[in-house]
C-alpha cells in the first residue's frame, strides 16, 4: 500500500474509490442509489407475496446479514479471527430474555442494557487477548464462546438447558410487532441500518486505521495507530451488532435456549463473512443469504446437505481464498 | 471414602484423561512446529481414528477376537490408515495454502474440520455407535483405590507411544530433519532436506497418534460419535499451549497437567462436572494472557 515517490499525497485518498470496493463505491452515482432504493422497495413488497414460509426464511437470512455485518467488522475490517461470535449474540438474547421475563422490563428499555452487556463482554475478552497472535486469538474466542454457552446451560437465571420462553413481543407506537411479516420488516430495517453504519465506518478514520492494521501492523503502529485500541474498537462494534441481532432474535422467537448459541452457529456466521468475500459488504450479504438459503435449497439431499455445504466451503477456500465476490483491495 | 482415597482416585482419572490429551496435543504441537499451522481438524482426525479403529476391530475380530490383541491390532491399523489420510489432507487442503494469508489457512483448516464431521455424520446418520471390545472390568486394588486394567493399558500404551515418538524425533534422520525444519524451513531446504517430505512425515506421525488416542478412547468409553473430536481438539490445543506450543515434551507435560487439573478441579466445591470445561478454558485463557510461551516453550518472535 506504500505510496510511490512523486505520487499524489494523501488528499487523493478521498477521491479514490473506497479500498473496500464496497457499497460506498456501489452507491457513488444517483443511478446506483436509485437501484439500491429499488432493491429495498422490492424486498419490502415482494417477500410477503412469496408466502409465509419464504418470509420466515428471508427473515432468518436478514438476521444472518446483521450478524455477518458485525462479524465482518472484526474479521474483514480488522483482520481478527473470531470463532466465538455467537457469544455476543447470546449476550444480547439473554439480556432481553432475562430482563423482560424475570424483571418485567419493556423490550425497548432492555436494548441499551443488552448493548452495554455486549460492550463489557467485548472488553473483558478482547482487552487481555487482542495482543496475542492471530491464531491464539481464534482459539481464545472459541473458548470464550464455549464458556458463555456452558454458563447459559448451567445457570439458573438463564433457564439452564431449557432456556427462557414466553418472551413478550414488543409494541411500537401502538403497533404490536408479532407476526412473521412484522419481524421481516423489522429485520429489513435493521439490516439497512447495519449496512449504512458499516459503510460509514469503513470510510471513517477508524476504518482506515483498521485497513492499515490489517495490512501491516508494525507499520501502522509506527504511524501512530494504537493497534490494540483500534482492534478493541472493532471487537466492541462487532459485539454491538451481535447483541442487537440477539435482542431481536429473542423477541422474534419468544424463546431462547443454549443450542442457539453453539460453536456451529459461530462457524455459520463466520462462513457467511468468508464465503461472499470478507471486507466487502455486498459479499457479506451474499454470504449470509447463501448460508441460510443454501441448506434450504439443498434440503432434497437430506443428511448429506451439510457435507455438500462443507465441501463447497473448502473448495471456495482453495480456489477463491478471498471469497466469491472479494474486496477490491489486494489480499 | 476418605479424602486421600478420593484424591488418589482422581489422580488415576487425571492421568488417564491426561494421556488422551497428551497424545492429541502432540499432533497439534508437531504440525504447528513444522508448518506453523493450527490444524483445527486435528480433533476430527481423532474422531475418524476412532471410527476406523471400530472398523478395523470388526475386520480382525474373526481372526483374533475383540479382546486385548484385537484392540491392539485395531489401534495399529487405525494409526496406519488415518496417518496416510492425514498426509492426504495435508496434500489436498493445506499444501496449496501454506503461502496464503494466515486467516485463509485457518479457515481452510476449519473447513476441513467441517467436512470430516459432516462426512462422518452423513455416513453414520449422527448416531452414537457402540464400541464394545471384550476387555472386561477386572482390575487391581491398591489399598482403597481400584485401578481398571483398561486404565493401566491405556496409560501404558500412551507412554510407549510417547517414548517411541521421543526416540523417533531425537535419534532418527527424519526426526533430525523435522527439528531442523521447525527451526528454519528455508535454511533446511538449502541443506538438502526435502521439506515437503518432512511435512508429510510430520502429518503422518501426528495424525497417527491422534488416531491411536481415538481408538483407545472408543475402547475405553465404549461409544463413539461424529462430534467426539470437537471438545478434545480444544482441550488438546489447551494442553499444547500450557506446555508451550511447538514443544514435544511440552505437549506431553501439558496433557498430563490439564488432565490432572480437570479431574481435581471437579472436586473443588462449586465447580463440579458441569463447569469442568469452563474451568479448562479459563486456564487456557489465563495461560495465554500471562505466559503465552507455556511451561516449556521458547519465546518466539511474533509472526502475524
Amino acid at each position: 500500500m506504500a505510496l510511490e515517490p512523486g505520487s499524489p499525497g494523501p488528499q487523493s485518498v478521498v477521491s479514490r474509490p473506497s479500498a473496500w470496493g464496497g457499497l460506498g463505491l456501489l452507491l457513488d452515482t444517483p443511478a446506483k442509489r436509485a437501484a439500491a432504493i429499488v432493491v429495498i422497495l422490492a424486498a419490502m413488497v415482494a417477500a410477503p407475496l412469496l408466502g409465509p414460509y419464504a418470509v420466515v426464511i428471508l427473515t432468518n437470512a436478514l438476521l444472518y446479514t446483521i450478524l455477518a455485518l458485525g462479524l465482518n467488522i472484526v474479521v474483514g475490517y480488522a483482520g481478527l479471527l473470531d470463532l466465538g461470535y455467537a457469544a455476543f449474540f447470546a449476550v444480547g438474547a439473554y439480556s432481553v430474555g432475562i430482563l423482560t421475563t424475570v424483571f418485567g422490563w419493556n423490550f425497548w428499555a432492555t436494548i441499551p442494557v443488552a448493548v452495554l452487556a455486549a460492550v463489557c463482554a467485548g472488553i473483558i475478552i478482547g482487552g487481555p487477548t487482542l495482543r496475542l497472535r492471530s491464531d491464539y486469538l481464534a482459539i481464545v474466542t472459541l473458548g470464550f464462546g464455549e464458556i458463555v454457552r456452558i454458563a447459559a446451560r448451567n445457570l439458573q437465571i438463564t433457564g439452564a438447558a431449557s432456556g427462557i420462553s414466553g418472551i413478550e413481543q414488543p409494541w411500537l407506537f401502538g403497533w404490536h410487532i408479532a407476526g412473521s411479516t412484522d419481524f421481516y420488516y423489522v429485520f429489513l430495517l435493521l439490516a439497512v441500518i447495519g449496512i449504512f453504519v458499516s459503510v460509514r465506518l469503513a470510510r471513517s478514520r477508524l476504518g482506515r486505521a483498521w485497513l492499515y492494521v490489517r495490512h501491516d501492523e508494525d507499520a501502522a503502529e509506527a504511524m501512530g495507530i494504537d493497534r490494540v485500541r483500534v482492534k478493541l474498537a472493532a471487537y466492541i462494534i462487532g459485539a454491538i451488532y451481535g447483541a442487537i441481532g440477539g435482542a431481536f432474535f429473542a423477541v422474534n422467537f419468544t424463546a431462547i435456549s443454549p443450542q442457539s448459541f453453539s460453536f456451529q452457529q459461530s462457524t455459520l456466521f463466520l462462513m457467511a463473512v468468508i464465503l461472499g468475500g470478507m471486507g466487502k459488504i455486498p459479499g457479506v450479504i451474499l454470504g449470509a443469504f447463501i448460508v441460510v438459503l443454501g441448506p434450504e435449497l439443498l434440503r432434497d439431499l437430506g443428511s448429506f446437505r451439510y457435507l455438500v455445504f462443507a465441501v463447497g466451503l473448502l473448495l471456495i477456500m482453495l480456489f477463491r481464498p478471498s471469497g466469491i465476490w472479494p474486496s477490491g483491495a489486494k489480499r | 471414602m476418605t479424602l486421600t482415597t478420593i484424591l488418589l482416585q482422581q489422580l488415576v482419572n487425571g492421568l488417564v484423561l491426561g494421556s488422551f490429551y497428551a497424545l492429541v496435543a502432540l499432533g497439534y504441537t508437531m504440525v504447528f512446529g513444522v508448518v506453523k499451522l493450527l490444524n483445527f481438524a486435528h480433533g476430527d482426525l481423532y474422531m475418524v481414528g476412532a471410527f476406523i479403529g471400530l472398523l478395523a476391530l470388526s475386520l480382525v475380530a474373526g481372526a483374533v477376537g475383540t479382546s486385548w490383541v484385537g484392540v491392539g491390532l485395531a489401534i495399529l491399523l487405525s494409526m496406519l490408515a488415518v496417518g496416510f489420510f492425514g498426509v492426504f489432507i495435508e496434500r489436498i487442503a493445506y499444501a496449496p495454502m501454506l503461502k496464503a494469508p494466515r486467516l485463509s489457512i485457518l479457515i481452510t483448516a476449519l473447513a476441513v474440520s467441517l467436512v470430516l464431521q459432516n462426512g462422518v455424520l452423513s455416513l453414520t446418520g449422527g448416531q452414537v455407535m457402540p464400541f464394545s471390545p471384550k476387555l472386561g472390568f477386572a482390575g487391581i486394588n491398591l489399598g482403597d483405590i481400584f485401578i481398571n486394567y483398561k486404565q493401566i493399558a491405556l496409560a501404558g500404551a500412551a507412554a510407549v507411544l510417547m517414548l517411541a515418538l521421543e526416540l523417533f524425533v531425537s535419534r532418527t534422520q527424519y526426526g533430525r530433519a523435522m527439528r531442523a525444519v521447525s527451526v528454519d524451513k528455508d535454511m533446511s531446504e538449502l541443506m538438502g532436506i526435502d521439506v515437503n517430505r518432512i511435512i508429510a512425515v510430520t502429518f503422518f506421525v501426528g495424525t497417527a497418534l491422534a488416531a491411536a488416542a481415538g481408538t483407545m478412547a472408543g475402547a475405553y468409553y465404549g461409544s463413539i460419535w461424529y462430534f467426539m473430536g470437537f471438545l478434545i481438539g480444544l482441550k488438546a490445543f489447551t494442553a499444547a499451549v500450557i506446555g508451550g506450543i511447538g514443544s514435544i515434551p511440552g505437549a506431553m507435560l501439558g496433557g498430563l497437567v490439564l488432565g490432572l487439573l480437570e479431574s481435581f478441579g471437579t472436586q473443588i466445591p462449586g465447580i463440579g462436572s458441569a463447569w469442568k470445561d469452563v474451568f479448562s478454558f479459563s486456564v487456557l485463557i489465563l495461560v495465554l494472557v500471562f505466559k503465552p510461551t507455556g511451561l516449556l516453550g521458547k519465546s518466539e518472535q511474533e509472526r502475524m
Side-chain angles (χ1 to χ4, degrees):
Chain A
M1 292 303 287
L3 291 173
E4 295 297 316
S7 68
Q11 69 272 18
S12 71
V13 171
V14 180
S15 60
R16 216 166 53 187
S18 153
W20 312 104
L23 211 74
L25 179 65
L26 220 63
L27 299 183
D28 272 355
T29 62
K32 286 175 181 168
R33 285 200 191 100
I37 290 169
V38 168
V39 168
I40 294 170
L41 285 177
M44 288 174 73
V45 177
L49 301 177
L50 294 173
Y53 178 69
V55 168
V56 170
I57 300 295
L58 287 173
T59 307
N60 202 18
L62 288 170
L63 169 69
Y64 271 69
T65 304
I66 296 159
L67 296 167
L69 284 168
L71 186 56
N72 178 51
I73 291 173
V74 180
V75 180
Y77 287 4
L80 308 164
L81 186 54
D82 185 344
L83 293 178
Y85 191 67
F88 298 123
F89 183 49
V91 166
Y94 274 107
S95 299
V96 170
I98 292 168
L99 289 173
T100 56
T101 59
V102 181
F103 297 97
W105 283 33
N106 182 300
F107 167 69
W108 303 106
T110 64
I111 289 186
V113 181
V115 167
L116 201 67
V119 169
C120 291
I123 291 173
I124 289 170
I125 186 66
T129 56
L130 286 174
R131 285 160 223 273
L132 298 174
R133 39 196 296 164
S134 52
D135 33 17
Y136 280 14
L137 184 71
I139 293 281
V140 169
T141 52
L142 210 174
F144 176 65
E146 282 297 292
I147 288 177
V148 168
R149 189 183 60 82
I150 296 168
R153 204 183 56 200
N154 288 309
L155 289 174
Q156 283 303 312
I157 191 135
T158 53
S162 52
I164 297 174
S165 57
I167 300 166
E168 208 172 309
Q169 295 187 315
W171 290 80
L172 183 66
F173 304 121
W175 173 37
H176 191 196
I177 308 173
S180 54
T181 318
D182 295 349
F183 274 101
Y184 172 76
Y185 286 118
V186 169
F187 279 103
L188 184 63
L189 177 68
L190 287 173
V192 170
I193 295 172
I195 291 166
F196 180 75
V197 172
S198 279
V199 171
R200 298 303 302 169
L201 273 175
R203 298 183 137 198
S204 70
R205 186 185 169 86
L206 189 56
R208 296 194 302 273
W210 285 330
L211 175 67
Y212 207 166
V213 167
R214 189 165 57 105
H215 278 269
D216 192 333
E217 211 162 313
D218 296 328
E221 194 137 45
M223 288 294 137
I225 293 171
D226 183 343
R227 65 185 169 115
V228 173
R229 207 157 155 184
V230 299
K231 282 180 179 179
L232 195 57
Y235 218 68
I236 289 172
I237 296 170
I240 294 173
Y241 269 79
I244 291 177
F248 282 90
F249 169 81
V251 285
N252 184 10
F253 285 92
T254 70
I256 49 178
S257 71
Q259 291 98 289
S260 308
F261 311 104
S262 62
F263 173 65
Q264 282 66 33
Q265 283 295 321
S266 291
T267 43
L268 277 184
F269 301 148
L270 186 67
M271 268 196 235
V273 175
I274 308 297
L275 270 175
M278 49 184 156
K280 184 174 172 174
I281 287 163
V284 171
I285 301 169
L286 178 72
F289 274 77
I290 292 177
V291 164
V292 175
L293 301 183
E296 290 299 326
L297 298 175
L298 293 174
R299 202 166 269 280
D300 292 342
L301 296 174
S303 67
F304 282 93
R305 62 185 172 147
Y306 287 108
L307 177 61
V308 171
F309 201 64
V311 171
L313 179 71
L314 183 58
L315 291 177
I316 288 172
M317 284 322 293
L318 289 179
F319 293 104
R320 292 194 70 93
S322 316
I324 298 170
W325 192 354
S327 153
K330 282 183 193 131
R331 298 237 319 238
Chain B
M1 277 208 282
T2 62
L3 185 66
T4 333
T5 329
I6 294 175
L7 290 181
L8 281 173
Q9 195 72 58
Q10 290 306 327
L11 180 71
V12 174
N13 292 347
L15 287 175
V16 169
L17 196 60
S19 309
F20 284 130
Y21 291 162
L23 282 178
V24 183
L26 281 169
Y28 251 120
T29 257
M30 288 170 67
V31 167
F32 186 85
V34 171
V35 286
K36 303 285 175 276
L37 158 75
L38 277 184
N39 188 3
F40 277 113
H42 196 66
D44 301 295
L45 287 164
Y46 158 95
M47 175 273 295
V48 171
F51 277 91
I52 300 293
L54 179 61
L55 188 69
L57 188 64
S58 67
L59 287 179
V60 301
V64 294
T66 58
S67 185
W68 297 99
V69 182
V71 172
L73 213 54
I75 291 173
L76 289 178
L77 287 173
S78 174
M79 286 174 75
L80 197 65
V82 182
F84 280 114
F85 185 56
V87 176
F88 169 76
I89 288 174
E90 190 273 328
R91 278 294 111 101
I92 296 256
Y94 299 148
M97 302 296 287
L98 286 180
K99 299 257 186 294
R102 267 182 107 65
L103 207 55
S104 306
I105 189 161
L106 279 175
I107 289 158
T108 307
L110 209 58
V112 170
S113 157
L114 285 174
V115 169
L116 294 179
Q117 270 175 28
N118 287 299
V120 175
L121 169 68
S122 304
L123 290 175
T124 62
Q127 296 203 323
V128 176
M129 312 240 310
F131 195 129
S132 43
K134 291 197 177 61
L135 299 183
F137 297 97
I140 47 171
N141 280 302
L142 283 180
D144 285 340
I145 60 163
F146 175 76
I147 304 178
N148 198 317
Y149 285 136
K150 279 197 277 191
Q151 291 173 322
I152 297 174
L154 194 92
V160 168
L161 285 171
M162 287 191 251
L163 189 67
L165 177 72
E166 183 54 41
L167 290 176
F168 175 76
V169 173
S170 60
R171 298 286 166 82
T172 65
Q173 191 107 36
Y174 275 124
R176 244 195 308 280
M178 209 182 270
R179 282 180 289 145
V181 172
S182 78
V183 173
D184 190 331
K185 195 152 82 175
D186 297 334
M187 192 55 88
S188 314
E189 197 141 34
L190 292 176
M191 292 291 121
I193 294 173
D194 183 347
V195 171
N196 283 331
R197 196 182 173 84
I198 295 305
I199 292 176
V201 170
T202 308
F203 265 88
F204 182 87
V205 175
T207 315
L209 289 173
T215 310
M216 290 198 276
Y220 182 71
Y221 293 112
S223 63
I224 57 178
W225 68 312
Y226 76 97
F227 204 55
M228 64 189 278
F230 170 68
L231 202 55
I232 197 162
L234 265 179
K235 296 286 181 64
F237 175 81
T238 306
V241 168
I242 291 175
I245 195 144
S247 153
I248 288 176
M252 298 178 190
L253 182 65
L256 293 178
V257 167
L258 185 68
L260 290 171
L261 272 179
E262 262 188 18
S263 63
F264 284 113
T266 53
Q267 297 302 309
I268 301 172
I271 291 187
S273 56
W275 294 95
K276 183 181 79 173
D277 298 337
V278 169
F279 182 71
S280 338
F281 294 140
S282 309
V283 170
L284 167 71
I285 293 174
L286 290 177
V287 170
L288 280 179
V289 170
F290 292 108
K291 197 167 187 331
T293 51
L295 294 172
L296 301 181
K298 287 177 271 306
S299 75
E300 190 199 340
Q301 195 65 34
E302 187 162 339
R303 201 196 90 154
M304 299 301 278

